[in-house]
Amino acid sequence: MIQAFGLTSNSRKDLRPAVDDVSFEAPAGRVTALLGDPGAGKTTALRLMLELQQGRGITYFRGRPLHRIAHPSREVGVLLGDVPGHPGRTVRGHLRMLCAAAGVSARRADEILEVVGLVSLRDERLGTLSRGMDRRLGLACALLPDPHTLVLDEPADGLSARESNWLYGMLRAHAAQGGTVLVTTPEPKEAARTADRVVTLERGSVVADQEAAEFARTRLRPRVAVRSPHAVRLAAVLTKEARTAHRSVEVVMESGNRLSVYGSTCADVGETAFRHGVLVLKLADEVGDMGPGAGATPPQEPQPERTDSEPRNATATAPETANEATTGAATTDEATADTSIADTSTTEPMPAPPDTTPPAGDSEAPTDHKPTDSHNSPAEAPTNPPSPSSRPLEALPTLPPAISVHPAPSPLRPLRYELRRATGISTGFVTGAVVLVVSALTAVVLARIGHTPQARLFAAWPQQLPLPPAALGAGLLGALAFGDEFRYPALAADRGTVPRRLGLLTAKLLVAAATALALAVLTVGCDIEVLYLIYGRELAQVPGDWLSLSASWLGLMVGCAWAGVLAAGVFRSTTAGLAAVLAVPIVVVPLVQKVVEGSSVRTAAGLPMRMRQVFLLQWPFGGERYLEAVARVVAQPVGSALTLSLSALLCAYLFTNLRSRVR
């Protein structure tokens, strides 16, 4: 269950806090709705509960605050706004990437797609999904690690009636298996129809915390919905008779030929229309919006909470184990426009959500039955209205099967996530192809001009440029590794910020290094092959000191990639990561050269000889040569500048990591 105590947001200048001392409970096995108009503080309350916003108060999820839960995504499934995913990633690729992050099998993605009805769209890009499909994918992401609690912010916003029924059917099925569901909605009728308990917010404070039946009876205004071609005349007649009989009746003109009559019944309105010869096309009792007469609800007796008597993933299909909840909302069929005036006060039961997932192509199609909420007149209101949640569990949608997640962290989990993240979109492949083409063309032009050293010719590195195209490409790919995390924070749904775990950083550095090495080898190979094809064997000869040159080249590529990763992680931007890569040869290298070339600096002459004297042994397979080459690379101005920059960025990253943990 969810227990929120004293949630209060920080004050904004002289304004009152958006949320002020909000406390409520969302019991397990039930759907709890957080109701309020736009600006009432619903989203702010959720962000405070999930520790995404600074404020006071505390929220317990099954007895523990979120920051004390080792893996929050396995305890709380969150959907705030649109799905935070790269628009170029496929639906199946996005879910498989999250499977790697959560430590579950990749088969879980296919099971979730089957449940939410996105199998036919598994290869579609996230940027092409409609609103209904995006909501389905958001629910799939929340259900992926099989959490006990679901926290959803206006999940049915912008959905059709069929999509809304399916969505709330899924949420009720989750609650029926012992889970906790908390949703926000601005629609009172929707809250009364779909929730078991309704917590009403007004101006950031709780004004009512009721069972759905009590909410429908006290917080909603019963009304009579009328449709007539002579609506103006009927409104005048109803107002005149109410004034004559000294009855409190309010008649509101709606759009078209519609009337909303508050304080009367279908029988009275129908009789009045019959006596005055007014044609009526529709006459039905409905549960209207919260009106001036609703008022505040007196304090209610505490309701007995349902205990989580069965495990979260227990399979319950028998009708006798139906979920118990109450609500006073019912629905009528819009197609029955010719309702008879003599008998119009009856209500029809609300249709259950579909037993099977509707086809993806029909998600936005208009339905034959438009649900409208109906309610008996105040005099005939039953004490215990029928409940939509009291239907058998076998009528609810099927949830994905239960899974067992191993709590022990695996060092390969962030590596699998990073590999799927990097290969799930075409940005890396396109960048690599562009780098190879530009490098080959640059090498051909440099060979045509002449006066370019062989090493720079193979790397396509003009002396006028601070870095070769391959190094810039490696830096860009490294910057994208963290820049995309902050731009499309797929891992930040439950904590708000991209996780700065050292395991994730290590995985990104390993993948970036492997990508940079592959790009370095391919660039040199393509340049040599192009030079051989165009100019012959003379320009394609390998230099004699290829070992040290190769070490310098590979070190430069890996250093640029790591600089991009660390800078993007520190500054939370791809642009900042690429700027840090360019700052090394433009800003840092000149400073290092000034320091090295100063008259007061002692040179490191004879370093290889002294290293042999210190170690007093011969390395196997000529290992001292490789060590000497590495030392020579580090001693170069570019190598020294890269080493200095990487050290500074790594320290900054560790500092921000420790600071976020302290907070």
Side-chain angles (χ1 to χ4, degrees), residues 405-461:
V405 182
H406 298 289
S410 171
L412 297 179
R413 184 180 304 163
L415 185 59
R416 285 196 297 265
Y417 162 77
E418 181 60 21
L419 287 174
R420 288 175 180 169
R421 185 209 62 80
T423 58
I425 55 178
S426 60
T427 304
F429 303 101
V430 172
T431 303
V434 171
V435 166
L436 294 179
V437 172
V438 172
S439 296
L441 295 177
T442 305
V444 171
V445 172
L446 291 177
R448 176 90 176 169
I449 296 175
H451 308 291
T452 302
Q454 194 79 357
R456 282 184 172 266
L457 190 61
F458 288 167
W461 189 354

XYZ file of all heavy atoms in Angstrom, residues 405-461:
429
model
N 12.666 -11.819 -10.273
C 13.831 -10.990 -10.564
C 14.875 -11.263 -9.495
O 14.598 -11.177 -8.299
C 13.451 -9.495 -10.579
C 14.655 -8.645 -10.924
C 12.332 -9.257 -11.569
N 16.073 -11.607 -9.916
C 17.148 -11.872 -8.962
C 17.627 -10.550 -8.362
O 18.030 -9.647 -9.088
C 18.309 -12.585 -9.644
C 17.939 -13.926 -10.202
N 17.677 -15.023 -9.404
C 17.749 -14.341 -11.475
C 17.372 -16.062 -10.167
N 17.399 -15.675 -11.433
N 17.581 -10.416 -7.032
C 17.977 -9.136 -6.434
C 19.461 -8.850 -6.532
O 19.880 -7.712 -6.439
C 17.539 -9.284 -4.972
C 17.540 -10.761 -4.728
C 17.164 -11.405 -6.036
N 20.286 -9.886 -6.695
C 21.734 -9.666 -6.739
C 22.103 -8.950 -8.029
O 21.719 -9.384 -9.120
C 22.469 -11.001 -6.652
N 22.830 -7.844 -7.949
C 23.199 -7.123 -9.164
C 24.211 -7.905 -9.977
O 25.077 -8.599 -9.441
C 23.786 -5.811 -8.637
C 24.278 -6.142 -7.264
C 23.342 -7.192 -6.733
N 24.118 -7.818 -11.278
C 25.035 -8.493 -12.183
C 25.888 -7.452 -12.892
O 25.365 -6.443 -13.371
C 24.257 -9.323 -13.210
O 25.115 -9.803 -14.212
N 27.209 -7.674 -12.988
C 28.044 -6.688 -13.684
C 27.751 -6.605 -15.171
O 28.089 -5.606 -15.815
C 29.470 -7.202 -13.416
C 29.311 -8.653 -13.118
C 27.982 -8.790 -12.448
N 27.119 -7.644 -15.731
C 26.804 -7.623 -17.155
C 25.502 -6.896 -17.449
O 25.211 -6.622 -18.613
C 26.720 -9.056 -17.697
C 28.010 -9.878 -17.637
C 27.756 -11.268 -18.189
C 29.126 -9.191 -18.399
N 24.693 -6.605 -16.425
C 23.395 -5.972 -16.664
C 23.536 -4.588 -17.286
O 22.922 -4.307 -18.331
C 22.599 -5.900 -15.364
C 21.199 -5.351 -15.538
C 20.491 -5.322 -14.199
N 20.486 -6.643 -13.592
C 20.237 -6.871 -12.314
N 20.000 -5.852 -11.498
N 20.240 -8.093 -11.834
N 24.347 -3.672 -16.729
C 24.498 -2.370 -17.399
C 25.176 -2.473 -18.747
O 24.899 -1.666 -19.645
C 25.333 -1.552 -16.402
C 26.002 -2.549 -15.537
C 25.082 -3.704 -15.453
N 26.044 -3.473 -18.933
C 26.690 -3.636 -20.234
C 25.678 -4.069 -21.288
O 25.695 -3.562 -22.421
C 27.827 -4.654 -20.122
C 28.690 -4.844 -21.374
C 29.345 -3.536 -21.783
C 29.736 -5.922 -21.147
N 24.782 -5.004 -20.929
C 23.737 -5.406 -21.872
C 22.816 -4.236 -22.186
O 22.407 -4.046 -23.342
C 22.930 -6.569 -21.287
C 23.651 -7.902 -21.323
C 22.664 -9.035 -21.109
N 22.049 -8.957 -19.792
C 22.483 -9.612 -18.725
N 23.551 -10.392 -18.821
N 21.869 -9.493 -17.561
N 22.486 -3.447 -21.175
C 21.643 -2.279 -21.415
C 22.322 -1.306 -22.383
O 21.694 -0.808 -23.322
C 21.340 -1.572 -20.088
C 20.854 -0.159 -20.275
C 19.548 0.096 -20.671
C 21.704 0.929 -20.086
C 19.100 1.391 -20.858
C 21.266 2.224 -20.267
C 19.969 2.447 -20.651
O 19.533 3.731 -20.854
N 23.590 -1.026 -22.153
C 24.291 -0.051 -22.992
C 24.430 -0.551 -24.426
O 24.321 0.236 -25.378
C 25.666 0.254 -22.386
C 26.478 1.276 -23.154
C 25.806 2.624 -23.263
O 24.923 2.918 -22.436
O 26.170 3.392 -24.174
N 24.681 -1.835 -24.596
C 24.774 -2.377 -25.951
C 23.438 -2.250 -26.684
O 23.406 -1.871 -27.867
C 25.209 -3.845 -25.892
C 26.683 -4.089 -25.532
C 26.945 -5.579 -25.353
C 27.603 -3.517 -26.603
N 22.337 -2.551 -25.996
C 21.026 -2.420 -26.641
C 20.670 -0.964 -26.871
O 19.994 -0.624 -27.849
C 19.970 -3.111 -25.788
C 20.075 -4.628 -25.840
C 19.102 -5.300 -24.910
N 19.229 -6.758 -24.968
C 18.674 -7.603 -24.129
N 17.926 -7.122 -23.131
N 18.848 -8.897 -24.253
N 21.102 -0.087 -25.980
C 20.847 1.333 -26.190
C 21.604 1.863 -27.401
O 21.068 2.619 -28.211
C 21.262 2.120 -24.949
C 20.924 3.612 -25.017
C 21.878 4.438 -24.203
N 23.237 4.332 -24.693
C 23.696 5.004 -25.738
N 22.907 5.810 -26.423
N 24.941 4.839 -26.133
N 22.867 1.452 -27.534
C 23.690 1.968 -28.623
C 23.299 1.392 -29.972
O 23.378 2.089 -30.994
C 25.162 1.685 -28.333
N 22.888 0.139 -29.995
C 22.552 -0.496 -31.272
C 21.070 -0.411 -31.615
O 20.675 -0.850 -32.696
C 22.969 -1.976 -31.237
O 22.309 -2.639 -30.141
C 24.472 -2.096 -31.058
N 20.257 0.142 -30.728
C 18.820 0.203 -30.985
C 18.401 1.317 -31.911
O 17.267 1.325 -32.394
N 19.268 2.278 -32.176
C 18.975 3.382 -33.081
C 20.068 3.449 -34.131
O 21.163 2.898 -33.971
C 18.865 4.724 -32.327
C 20.129 4.992 -31.511
C 17.643 4.737 -31.425
C 20.112 6.310 -30.783
N 19.782 4.133 -35.211
C 20.718 4.190 -36.338
C 21.722 5.325 -36.232
O 22.550 5.481 -37.135
C 19.930 4.339 -37.640
O 19.154 5.535 -37.630
N 21.684 6.107 -35.164
C 22.569 7.264 -35.071
C 24.035 6.857 -35.099
O 24.853 7.471 -35.809
C 22.276 8.048 -33.785
O 20.898 8.411 -33.751
C 23.128 9.301 -33.713
N 24.409 5.829 -34.342
C 25.801 5.402 -34.307
C 26.282 4.887 -35.641
O 27.406 5.210 -36.080
N 25.451 4.109 -36.329
C 25.866 3.572 -37.626
C 25.978 4.674 -38.671
O 26.911 4.669 -39.489
C 24.868 2.505 -38.077
C 24.701 1.380 -37.096
C 23.607 1.328 -36.248
C 25.657 0.383 -37.000
C 23.451 0.292 -35.353
C 25.522 -0.662 -36.101
C 24.413 -0.708 -35.274
N 25.051 5.616 -38.648
C 25.118 6.726 -39.602
C 26.348 7.582 -39.336
O 27.051 8.007 -40.275
C 23.827 7.560 -39.518
C 23.946 8.828 -40.360
C 22.632 6.742 -39.981
N 26.624 7.847 -38.059
C 27.816 8.641 -37.723
C 29.089 7.952 -38.184
O 29.995 8.586 -38.752
C 27.870 8.891 -36.212
O 26.675 9.546 -35.793
C 29.069 9.738 -35.845
N 29.196 6.637 -37.951
C 30.371 5.906 -38.407
C 30.530 5.940 -39.911
O 31.650 6.120 -40.426
N 29.427 5.768 -40.652
C 29.514 5.810 -42.111
C 29.945 7.190 -42.604
O 30.776 7.304 -43.519
C 28.164 5.427 -42.713
N 29.404 8.248 -42.005
C 29.795 9.606 -42.403
C 31.276 9.842 -42.114
O 32.001 10.453 -42.933
C 28.910 10.634 -41.679
C 29.444 12.053 -41.894
C 27.478 10.541 -42.169
N 31.755 9.363 -40.971
C 33.169 9.538 -40.623
C 34.071 8.840 -41.633
O 35.089 9.395 -42.087
C 33.425 9.018 -39.194
C 34.921 8.863 -38.935
C 32.828 9.963 -38.174
N 33.733 7.614 -42.047
C 34.554 6.891 -43.013
C 34.586 7.592 -44.363
O 35.655 7.706 -44.995
C 34.018 5.461 -43.173
C 34.124 4.548 -41.944
C 33.535 3.173 -42.243
C 35.553 4.420 -41.480
N 33.442 8.086 -44.809
C 33.397 8.775 -46.103
C 34.204 10.064 -46.058
O 35.009 10.364 -46.964
C 31.935 9.036 -46.501
C 31.869 9.923 -47.742
C 31.204 7.734 -46.761
N 34.000 10.869 -44.995
C 34.725 12.135 -44.895
C 36.228 11.896 -44.765
O 37.047 12.615 -45.373
C 34.187 12.948 -43.700
C 35.049 14.188 -43.459
C 32.747 13.358 -43.951
N 36.630 10.884 -44.011
C 38.052 10.587 -43.851
C 38.670 10.165 -45.178
O 39.788 10.592 -45.526
C 38.244 9.492 -42.805
O 37.812 9.921 -41.535
N 37.986 9.318 -45.931
C 38.524 8.882 -47.222
C 38.677 10.055 -48.181
O 39.714 10.201 -48.860
C 37.624 7.805 -47.814
N 37.671 10.918 -48.258
C 37.771 12.079 -49.142
C 38.878 13.021 -48.695
O 39.623 13.569 -49.527
C 36.425 12.811 -49.173
C 35.250 12.037 -49.794
C 33.970 12.862 -49.698
C 35.547 11.690 -51.248
N 38.997 13.212 -47.376
C 40.057 14.091 -46.866
C 41.435 13.524 -47.180
O 42.366 14.269 -47.554
C 39.887 14.288 -45.356
O 38.574 14.777 -45.077
C 40.913 15.276 -44.820
N 41.615 12.215 -47.052
C 42.902 11.595 -47.364
C 43.252 11.751 -48.836
O 44.410 12.022 -49.192
C 42.868 10.114 -46.976
N 42.263 11.600 -49.713
C 42.512 11.773 -51.147
C 42.928 13.210 -51.453
O 43.872 13.460 -52.223
C 41.262 11.369 -51.947
C 41.416 11.751 -53.419
C 41.006 9.884 -51.808
N 42.255 14.177 -50.842
C 42.596 15.580 -51.078
C 43.986 15.901 -50.544
O 44.784 16.605 -51.192
C 41.524 16.486 -50.439
C 41.951 17.955 -50.509
C 40.185 16.295 -51.131
N 44.320 15.413 -49.354
C 45.648 15.670 -48.787
C 46.743 15.045 -49.648
O 47.828 15.635 -49.825
C 45.713 15.123 -47.363
C 44.875 15.843 -46.302
C 44.996 15.141 -44.961
C 45.285 17.300 -46.172
N 46.493 13.834 -50.162
C 47.488 13.209 -51.037
C 47.638 13.986 -52.337
O 48.737 14.065 -52.904
C 47.089 11.765 -51.319
N 46.572 14.552 -52.809
C 46.625 15.352 -54.033
C 47.441 16.618 -53.820
O 48.238 17.018 -54.684
C 45.204 15.711 -54.443
C 45.093 16.624 -55.632
C 45.022 15.847 -56.894
N 44.826 16.700 -58.057
C 44.932 16.284 -59.306
N 45.237 15.010 -59.535
N 44.732 17.090 -60.320
N 47.240 17.251 -52.667
C 47.974 18.490 -52.379
C 49.432 18.202 -52.099
O 50.328 18.933 -52.538
C 47.323 19.213 -51.185
C 45.889 19.643 -51.550
C 48.147 20.430 -50.771
C 45.128 20.250 -50.413
N 49.726 17.136 -51.367
C 51.094 16.789 -51.005
C 51.541 17.468 -49.733
O 50.774 18.195 -49.066
N 52.819 17.216 -49.351
C 53.437 17.828 -48.174
C 52.720 17.419 -46.876
O 52.694 18.192 -45.913
C 53.474 19.364 -48.283
C 54.067 19.860 -49.556
N 55.403 19.732 -49.871
C 53.484 20.485 -50.623
C 55.639 20.258 -51.053
N 54.486 20.720 -51.547
N 52.129 16.248 -46.858
C 51.471 15.741 -45.653
C 52.187 14.488 -45.185
O 52.404 13.559 -45.976
C 49.987 15.413 -45.927
O 49.331 16.581 -46.405
C 49.303 14.937 -44.659
N 52.615 14.403 -43.928
C 53.291 13.200 -43.437
C 52.418 11.961 -43.614
O 51.183 12.028 -43.658
C 53.538 13.515 -41.952
C 53.490 14.996 -41.864
C 52.523 15.451 -42.902
N 53.090 10.821 -43.714
C 52.378 9.575 -43.979
C 51.388 9.248 -42.860
O 50.273 8.794 -43.126
C 53.386 8.434 -44.126
C 52.813 7.170 -44.736
C 52.695 7.257 -46.249
O 52.998 8.297 -46.832
N 52.237 6.197 -46.876
N 51.803 9.492 -41.620
C 50.903 9.169 -40.508
C 49.646 10.023 -40.557
O 48.530 9.534 -40.374
C 51.632 9.366 -39.177
N 49.781 11.305 -40.785
C 48.604 12.179 -40.883
C 47.774 11.851 -42.120
O 46.552 12.042 -42.109
C 49.044 13.639 -40.914
C 49.421 14.207 -39.544
C 49.747 15.683 -39.627
N 49.916 16.266 -38.310
C 48.946 16.875 -37.618
N 47.736 16.954 -38.140
N 49.173 17.379 -36.433
N 48.415 11.378 -43.160
C 47.674 11.025 -44.368
C 46.767 9.831 -44.117
O 45.608 9.810 -44.547
C 48.654 10.722 -45.500
C 48.053 10.561 -46.901
C 47.367 11.842 -47.340
C 49.135 10.164 -47.897
N 47.287 8.813 -43.416
C 46.450 7.650 -43.106
C 45.305 8.012 -42.162
O 44.221 7.429 -42.248
C 47.307 6.556 -42.482
C 48.238 5.884 -43.449
C 49.259 5.068 -43.002
C 48.080 6.074 -44.820
C 50.109 4.446 -43.901
C 48.937 5.463 -45.724
C 49.963 4.650 -45.265
N 45.522 8.946 -41.257
C 44.470 9.354 -40.324
C 43.572 10.443 -40.883
O 42.601 10.830 -40.225
C 45.096 9.842 -39.021
N 43.890 10.944 -42.119
C 43.122 12.038 -42.731
C 43.039 13.232 -41.790
O 41.972 13.791 -41.540
C 41.720 11.563 -43.118
N 44.217 13.628 -41.301
C 44.297 14.684 -40.291
C 45.077 15.868 -40.858
O 46.307 15.884 -40.805
C 44.988 14.142 -39.041
C 44.933 15.082 -37.873
C 44.453 16.351 -37.851
C 45.373 14.810 -36.545
N 44.544 16.899 -36.606
C 45.111 15.968 -35.778
C 45.959 13.701 -35.941
C 45.438 16.041 -34.421
C 46.270 13.777 -34.589
C 46.012 14.943 -33.840
